[in-house]
Amino acid sequence: MKIAFTTSDRVHINAHFGWAKMIDVYEITDEGYHFVETLTFEGELKEDGNEDKITPKLESIGDCTIIYVTAIGGSAAARLIKKGVTPVKARSEEEEISEVLNKLVKTLKGNPPPWLRKALQPKTTNFADEIEDEATV
């Protein structure tokens, strides 16, 4: 599965979802993890009330299972959940991406907590997606 992290330094989870200029994406299994890519975003990202600024982020992390953030607005969180991406708040801006990844690998080897088991379930499609899939067959 893919895990995303909002970051300003590519080491710590230290960016608000809406304001993040970078999101690092990793692939993780119970065997380990590896870096996939850094997604970058430009423009006036700190403008409150501008819902358009999060649309490119939502689209670019749609294949991720979880995104770690320092903070996230309610509407952005709801839109992520609707896409099947679980937002998780970091404990602090000092929390390191590698620490979280190592803990997740250990957790995946054992008995994941209910929230993680739910996040790991295959994403369900909605009716509109099913119609679109049928139309392209």
Side-chain angles (χ1 to χ4, degrees):
M1 72 175 159
K2 288 184 179 178
I3 308 289
F5 300 89
T6 58
T7 184
S8 65
D9 62 6
R10 305 199 54 224
V11 174
H12 300 94
I13 306 163
N14 59 1
H16 182 288
F17 178 74
W19 305 344
K21 291 191 180 284
M22 290 187 290
I23 297 177
D24 278 359
V25 179
Y26 289 80
E27 185 77 37
I28 185 170
T29 67
D30 61 357
E31 300 293 316
Y33 63 87
H34 69 271
F35 174 76
V36 176
E37 64 182 324
T38 297
L39 305 168
T40 56
F41 303 92
E42 302 295 327
E44 187 51 53
L45 300 175
K46 289 196 177 191
E47 188 178 330
D48 285 337
N50 178 6
E51 293 297 315
D52 291 338
K53 72 181 175 195
I54 64 170
T55 300
K57 291 178 183 170
L58 292 169
E59 291 170 357
S60 64
I61 62 165
D63 62 343
C64 292
T65 303
I66 300 168
I67 183 163
Y68 282 83
V69 300
T70 56
I72 187 168
S75 66
R79 289 173 68 184
L80 279 170
I81 291 166
K82 187 175 179 183
K83 282 191 157 292
V85 181
T86 303
V88 176
K89 190 171 180 188
R91 284 184 289 212
S92 79
E93 291 190 12
E94 298 303 313
E95 190 165 25
E96 292 188 12
I97 294 169
S98 61
E99 289 175 19
V100 171
L101 288 166
N102 287 322
K103 286 179 190 173
L104 280 171
V105 169
K106 286 181 188 175
T107 302
L108 290 173
K109 284 183 182 179
N111 186 17
W115 74 267
L116 185 54
R117 283 197 303 268
K118 183 177 181 189
L120 291 172
Q121 291 175 352
K123 294 180 183 181
T124 58
T125 58
N126 62 32
F127 183 69
D129 291 339
E130 290 174 13
I131 289 175
E132 186 175 315
D133 289 343
E134 286 180 16
T136 58
V137 173

